[in-house]
Amino acid sequence: MTVEWATHLSVLRYPDEGGRHIEILNMQPGFGALLVQPPPTWLETDRDWRVSAFLHGGAGRAGFEPTGDNTDQKLFILPAGRYDLIARLGATELPVIDIEVPAQRTRLRLLDIR
């Protein structure tokens, strides 16, 4: 086992975090993290929202599910690459196409209803 030190990390306050912050350190090479936050109106209901990730262009095939059971945001640990998302709340479906998840980095995606 080896130890890798993460140095020179800055933790900044962002207005979209609502007073909470999550810091994800990836220790396995070739993987990244994707943190997905739903539209604020989705959190105002008593219904659960769901999101799945698929290899870019691979919707309809087996997908990836988020880790944990947090209702405010969903966290994916994925092999680095490009992904499509499908988020759902009841009958409302929100697709997001072509998100890059870089190796050993965290990507934040805020979902927006237009």
Side-chain angles (χ1 to χ4, degrees):
M1 176 187 280
T2 63
V3 174
E4 293 184 33
W5 292 97
T7 59
H8 303 290
L9 290 178
S10 296
V11 178
L12 304 172
R13 288 187 190 264
Y14 293 97
D16 58 351
E17 291 180 336
R20 294 176 326 187
H21 179 79
I22 185 169
E23 190 72 33
I24 301 157
L25 300 175
N26 299 309
M27 303 310 264
Q28 186 171 356
F31 280 75
L34 174 62
L35 186 62
V36 181
Q37 292 183 353
T41 56
W42 284 20
L43 296 175
E44 296 168 359
T45 72
D46 59 350
R47 299 184 305 176
D48 290 335
W49 68 283
R50 302 182 66 133
V51 62
S52 297
F54 302 88
L55 290 173
H56 178 56
R61 299 183 190 154
F64 300 90
E65 295 301 317
T67 63
D69 58 357
N70 189 335
T71 58
D72 293 349
Q73 53 194 0
K74 307 293 184 186
L75 175 66
F76 292 88
I77 306 299
L78 300 166
R82 303 189 87 74
Y83 293 88
D84 299 333
L85 300 176
I86 298 178
R88 292 182 182 91
L89 176 68
T92 303
E93 186 173 280
L94 181 60
V96 181
I97 307 300
D98 199 15
I99 297 173
E100 180 188 9
V101 176
Q104 297 181 308
R105 298 279 187 256
T106 300
R107 177 80 61 210
L108 171 64
R109 180 59 192 222
L110 303 174
L111 300 181
D112 185 26
I113 298 177
R114 294 176 192 227

